[in-house]
């Protein structure tokens, strides 16, 4: 499913495989607009205007209306997240509804033809109406059988209790002196063949002073 997908890369030094689950990345980053690539425009912090907020609202609303393959849907008793990352997954998803999409190969591109855009919006609306009739678990079972990545949408405050987050040690419990056991986000990077390191409690005030002074000589 969506949460089980892994982003993989090889380190330049020893050629070890490093894994970052999508769930771990989402917990660590959450908002993709806080990631910049080299060469992208930079500038000082600026207060948002009413126009900025309206533009973002229109962008989100427009994207949800025209792209049925990567978004959240409301079912009869909750919400589910869908992430069709390739053509075969998108085709399998559409087949569940007996629908066709002329823009399925590039669903993120806004059509220049207004009629094509309207048709995409109608397609998405039809899928929304179909999903809204049945509960989340029924859709997750159907999507999983079709090979379509999907998962339930959980309240942010309860994600730490999800079985997959626990099994992947994305949340860990640490004994914090003076406070007792604390549950917090664990390491999101994995090195091939190694278990993720255990997180350590925050040091108490002055706990590292002597070691720091010794290191400085």
């Amino acid at each position: 499913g969506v949460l089980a997908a892994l982003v993989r890369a090889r380190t330049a030094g020893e050629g070890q495989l490093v894994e970052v689950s999508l769930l771990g990345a989402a917990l660590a980053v959450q908002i993709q607009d806080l990631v910049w690539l080299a060469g992208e425009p930079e500038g000082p912090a600026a207060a948002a205007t009413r126009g900025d907020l309206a533009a973002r609202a229109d962008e989100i609303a427009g994207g949800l209306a025209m792209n049925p393959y990567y978004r959240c849907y409301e079912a009869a008793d909750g919400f589910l997240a869908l992430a069709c990352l390739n053509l075969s997954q998108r085709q399998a998803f559409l087949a569940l509804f007996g629908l066709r999409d002329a823009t399925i190969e590039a669903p993120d591109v806004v059509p220049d033809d207004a009629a094509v855009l309207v048709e995409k919006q109608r397609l998405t609306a039809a899928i929304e109406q179909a999903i809204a009739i049945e509960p989340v678990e029924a859709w997750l079972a159907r999507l999983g059988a079709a090979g379509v990545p999907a998962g339930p949408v959980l309240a942010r405050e309860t994600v730490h209790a999800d079985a997959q987050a626990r099994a992947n040690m994305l949340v860990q419990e640490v004994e914090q002196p003076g406070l007792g056991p604390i549950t917090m986000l664990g390491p999101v990077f994995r090195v091939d063949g190694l278990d993720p390191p255990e997180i350590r409690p925050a040091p108490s005030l002055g706990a590292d002073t002597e070691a720091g002074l010794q290191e400085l000589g």
Side-chain angles (χ1 to χ4, degrees), residues 63-71 73 82 84 86-111 113-127:
L64 289 176
M66 78 159 206
N67 186 351
Y69 310 108
Y70 199 100
R71 53 167 294 168
Y73 283 98
L82 183 78
C84 296
N86 56 50
L87 179 59
S88 63
Q89 292 172 352
R90 294 193 289 268
Q91 290 172 332
F93 178 64
L94 276 190
L96 293 174
F97 305 93
L99 298 171
R100 296 176 61 84
D101 178 12
T103 66
I104 191 171
E105 294 188 0
D108 293 326
V109 178
V110 180
D113 188 331
V116 175
L117 177 58
V118 169
E119 189 58 35
K120 283 177 66 70
Q121 294 169 338
R122 289 175 178 170
L123 171 75
T124 303
I127 295 174

